[in-house]
């Protein structure tokens, strides 16, 4: 359509989010985040190993129910997705958590996802197709890494001006994200052949919220144990980065792996629901997590 999402979203919007992050992030925080290996390992193992495996086990139980099988396959694809390139960072920033760690894990997880997500999809769903790793990798590099570096370089020159002006970086990122979600919904529901019953859809929405709540609670419990070695700010980054899944990377990746597949639109639906749900749930929990973090830091 006139919005041209294949250009405006795929390149401009994602680049804008990361340029925004690069501009607003203090460089010294990013370097200190690099050394926090334990946190990065926790997030990546939870997201790319524990999450898809747990979903697969859960789906073995659901397979005997009358829920649409393609929606269930879609739930499995959600489990295989890498961390998001934006929403986890925006929510971590809103709470005042370890934003640098959230950015590092989003970027690093996205790169891991280029290789690991297609392999996980093949492992759990048995989809066989040749995935053009080089083109996805180069696109990610251009839309994630390059804008982040440019943002950091620009920040060095206008640092004082930025600190005086206090620009609404969070609001800008949220608006861009809203545009990404809107165009993806338009794209999926433009397909007239969606064979979807209301019962399956309502159950899937309920399951998605339940999964998110359970996994957020689980990561919170693990990262606040006495011997975990994580600060309250780290816990905030862990809770959001470990449980959030990327729509911006996920939809293009599904289109590549399931190219020409007649049930692609149905498989995409759980991811389309999961993404707005994680933002909605995260936004509702921001005040609670913020007050918890402040009281713990005191």
């Amino acid at each position: 359509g006139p919005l041209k999402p294949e250009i405006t979203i795929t390149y401009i919007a994602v680049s804008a989010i990361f340029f925004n992050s690069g501009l607003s992030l203090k460089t010294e925080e990013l370097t200190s985040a690099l050394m926090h290996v334990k946190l990065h390992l926790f997030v990546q193992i939870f997201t790319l190993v524990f999450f898809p495996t747990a979903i697969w086990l859960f789906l073995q139980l659901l397979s005997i129910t009358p829920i649409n099988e393609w929606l269930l396959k879609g739930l499995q694809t959600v489990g295989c997705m890498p961390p998001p390139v934006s929403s986890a960072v925006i929510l971590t920033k809103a709470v005042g958590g370890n934003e640098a760690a959230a950015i590092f894990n989003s970027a690093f997880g996205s790169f891991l996802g280029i290789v690991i997500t297609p392999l996980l999809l093949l492992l759990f769903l048995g989809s066989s197709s040749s995935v053009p790793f080089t083109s996805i990798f180069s696109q990610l590099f251009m839309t994630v890494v390059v804008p982040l570096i440019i943002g950091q370089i620009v920040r060095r020159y206008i640092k004082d001006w930025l600190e005086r002006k206090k620009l609404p970086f969070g609001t800008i990122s949220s608006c861009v994200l809203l545009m990404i979600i809107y165009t993806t919904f338009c794209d999926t529901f433009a397909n007239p052949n969606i064979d979807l019953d209301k019962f399956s859809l309502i159950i899937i929405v309920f399951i998605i919220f339940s999964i998110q709540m359970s996994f957020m609670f689980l990561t919170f419990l693990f990262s606040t144990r006495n011997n975990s070695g994580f600060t309250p700010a780290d816990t905030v980054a862990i809770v959001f980065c470990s449980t959030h899944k990327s729509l911006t990377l996920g939809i293009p990746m599904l289109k590549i792996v399931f190219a020409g597949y007649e049930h692609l639109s149905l498989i995409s639906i759980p991811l389309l629901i999961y993404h707005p749900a994680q933002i909605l749930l995260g936004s509702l929990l921001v005040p609670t997590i913020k007050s918890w973090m402040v009281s713990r830091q005191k």
Side-chain angles (χ1 to χ4, degrees), residues 46 51 54-55 58-59 62 75-76 78-79 204-218 243 274 281:
F46 191 94
F51 203 126
I55 295 283
F58 182 49
L59 289 181
L62 289 180
L75 265 184
Q76 185 63 69
V78 170
I204 289 289
V205 172
F206 175 73
I207 290 169
I208 283 171
F209 273 99
S210 308
I211 288 171
Q212 285 188 22
M213 289 296 287
S214 313
F215 283 1
M216 284 176 100
F217 185 63
L218 199 61
T243 57
Y274 194 97
L281 204 56

Side-chain angles (χ1 to χ4, degrees), residues 67 71 196-206 269 273:
I67 301 170
L71 286 181
L196 189 57
D197 60 293
K198 290 186 177 70
F199 167 77
S200 293
L201 192 59
I202 292 163
I203 294 292
I204 289 289
V205 172
F206 175 73
I269 287 172
I273 297 168

